[in-house]
Amino acid sequence: MSAATNVCIIGIGIHPFGRTDGVSGLDQGAYAVRAALADAGVGWGDVQFAYGGSDAAGNPDTMVDRLGLTGVQFINVKNGCATGGSALFSAQMAIRSGEFELGLAVGFDKHPRGAFNAMPAEYNLPEWYGAAGYMVTTQFFAAKIMRYMHLHGISRRTLGLVAQKAFANGVHAPHAWRREEVALDTILDAPMVSDPFTKYMFCSPGEGGVALLLASERKARELGIRPIHLAAATMRTRPAHSFEVFAPSIDIGGGVNTATRLASAAAFEKAGIGPDEIDVAQLQDTEAGAEIMHMAENGFCADGDQEQWIAQGRTRIDGALPVNTDGGCLACGEPIGASGLRQVYENVVQLRGAGGGRQVPGTPRTAYSHVYGAPGVSAVTILHT
Amino acid sequence: MPDAPLHLMGGRHRQSGRITFPHPGDGFDTVALPSRGTLWSYTVQRFRPKSPPYAGPEIFEPWALAYVELPGAVIVEARLVEVEFDAIRIGMALELTKVALDPAASAPVWLPAFRPATEDGQ
């Protein structure tokens, strides 16, 4: 790698997550782009290419109407929950190849209220599967953690502690949707949505936009920007015998190998560091169980260690491995196209030391992000200062 | 007329031997799956899924959803019936039955379901 092809993040922008009535998803994306440009001190005319993703809020490339008709190369990405991660992966490849030196990854979304509403035909499933009431993502997450808790001795209280931490962290993140602490008893005693999860243990589909400006290391230095290095960006699909959302059947002995394990191993190999060298991590937490399982799937601990880790507060902001420092999906909600980029945004904030009340102490130097989604896709990034 | 014994029909991949449910179509042989197994995992659906695609009754009663390991074959997703939610345990022995999507319908749509296994399997 050379200064011409090493990739850095030079600007970040976010439109607050949650519900913003009267502002389209696309405009939330454009807002984030303007913020990222201002953050880096460059103009829209300097942007050579863009990769944009949205699951449900329109074609990202139409954003040029708002930002300027410069003729910029703008490619749309659609990859389920890995949309943002895939946009970022594509953007860094464009720079790594030597083709470009400054470009954009942007993601936004605006989902209707309530649970996601997938149709069986979109997943090659028969109509009866939907009629039976099985096209419900929450069922999968609940069944996956129920099995995991049984195998590895994870208690429901630990699920509650994960949610409690998320809301406590969200208080200090201006871009978060849920910004009030919730007591552990309130979380545990709330109405059950899908056993073992109560309503406080699931994130909600929401709205938001995130933009990241990428540049070659050479370009960043030319602009006088202290770069945050993108050491690795990987995206993988599911291996054989995995257990994914909308699975009418699973192979016996299955459910152990995951897209996450593949993406994570590849990212660590590419970055040349191990999990014990990561200072802060954002792990997909669409519900409280996901964060627990993803701690192990991403190589940070062994299956079952989470019970003790969380009891000891090791994933809190002042712990050995702070996880989801802005409250993750639980506190920010999940606009699919923006979610994975929010994690990277938060990591850049942390590496810059700009986290305010949620800042990880002791000058973190490495940061990890992980996103997972249907039908078994995962994207990982590793940043370092 | 007694009902014929129930069986779920899966597909066995001609090259790899991997069994999946439901039968995926071309390239798979049809196999009758075992009608007894053990509970691999479960949850309880506590809110009414969105329609479409859900076609159950308007008035919603929570139901349990199971993944059932059928020995030597595959783990299948199905309803879990005839057991209190609080009494559900991973590993419990189950047998195949069926449940109406809408019990009040005159011509109900039947769904595969499992219930706690009876001693003799009848």
Side-chain angles (χ1 to χ4, degrees), chain A residues 115 129 132 143 195 247 250-251, chain B residues 41 43 46 50 67 75 77 79:
Chain A
Y129 190 83
D195 304 33
I250 310 164
D251 294 353
Chain B
S41 195
T43 185
R46 301 269 182 182
K50 284 183 179 173
Y67 278 96
I75 300 163
E77 183 180 18
R79 291 283 175 90

Side-chain angles (χ1 to χ4, degrees), chain A residues 197-241:
Chain A
F197 293 129
T198 66
K199 68 169 192 173
Y200 287 106
M201 297 178 186
F202 277 112
C203 82
S204 305
E207 305 172 19
V210 181
L212 305 174
L213 269 176
L214 277 64
S216 66
E217 190 177 340
R218 187 178 63 196
K219 184 72 183 175
R221 298 208 184 283
E222 191 183 298
L223 293 165
I225 294 170
R226 187 177 72 99
I228 302 285
H229 299 271
L230 181 63
T234 59
M235 185 271 173
R236 292 290 186 275
T237 52
R238 64 190 182 278
H241 317 302

